[in-house]
Structures are given as structure tokens and as C-alpha cells.
Amino acid sequence: MAIAKLGAVVLDCPDPVALARFYAGILGGEIKIQAEDDQQWVDLEGVAGTTLAFQAAPGFVPPKWPSAEESQQFHLDLTVDDMDAAEAKVLELGATALEADDRKRSFRVYADPAGHPFCLCAG
């Protein structure tokens, strides 16, 4: 029996509103700024049954990917129907490709504008 339920997946970043807009452009959902005056915490609601949240982190340093010396900690796998169309859209929204283009794999690796790695995965 579970003792908890997942409340949110939270990404630390320098600009929570900007990163929420980036992911809303990919995943849809509704952006909810939790404190209008400081914008330190922003939720993206209505995404796959859970909340993706963004928290301001002074001194944020993005993970290095790939790196044998440092752990990336975690990444998001985003399932898509059309890899090429999804790739064009995430790049337009501000993503950066992290690997050489390998069209034979079922996934492609990118970084969001704050530097968090994520994958587009064939659905």
C-alpha cells in the first residue's frame, strides 16, 4: 500500500515563469503563478495527471550531460507521435540538442532553456 502520492515534479531554475512557458509550449497545461509578487514558484497544471512545477533557485547551475563526473539527477521523457515535428517545435521554443543527430534511435536528447536534459521519445 502506498503511503504517499506524487504531488509535483519540481525543476529548480533561474526563471520559473520562462521555464513554465517553455514546457507549456510543449505539453500544454495551465500556468499558475503561486505568488504574483515574487514569482518564485510556478505550477504547470493539467499535464499527464500531475503538476510540473518550477522553483527559483539563486545560483542555479544546470546539470552537465553527458558527464561521467557529475550526475544529471533526473530527466523528463516526453512521448511524441512525430519525432521530426516535435524536434522542430522544441528547438523553436528554445531547446538545445545535446547529442549528435542519430535518427535510428527511438529517442533524442535536448536541454531546456535552463539546461535540464529531456528526451523526446517515439510513441
Side-chain angles (χ1 to χ4, degrees):
M1 181 159 107
I3 60 169
K5 66 178 185 173
L6 181 62
V9 174
V10 183
L11 298 175
D12 288 352
C13 59
D15 186 342
V17 174
L19 200 55
R21 286 185 182 132
F22 172 79
Y23 280 104
I26 297 170
L27 299 169
E30 183 178 347
I31 295 172
K32 300 264 184 164
I33 298 172
Q34 297 305 314
E36 292 287 338
D37 55 337
D38 66 13
Q39 299 181 356
Q40 298 294 305
W41 185 281
V42 178
D43 289 338
L44 180 58
E45 298 178 343
V47 179
T50 193
T51 297
L52 187 57
F54 309 91
Q55 174 178 277
F60 173 78
V61 176
K64 293 181 179 161
W65 193 94
S67 173
E69 296 85 35
E70 296 181 38
S71 168
Q72 68 173 318
Q73 298 179 8
F74 82 99
H75 68 274
L76 300 174
D77 281 350
L78 308 177
T79 305
V80 299
D81 293 325
D82 182 331
M83 292 280 279
D84 292 333
E87 177 179 64
K89 182 66 175 175
V90 300
L91 293 173
E92 177 184 313
L93 289 167
T96 303
L98 290 180
E99 288 193 335
D101 190 22
D102 184 351
R103 302 283 181 191
K104 295 179 181 140
R105 294 189 313 198
S106 62
F107 67 94
R108 298 178 192 164
V109 185
Y110 306 87
D112 67 24
H116 303 100
F118 71 94
C119 295
L120 294 179
C121 304

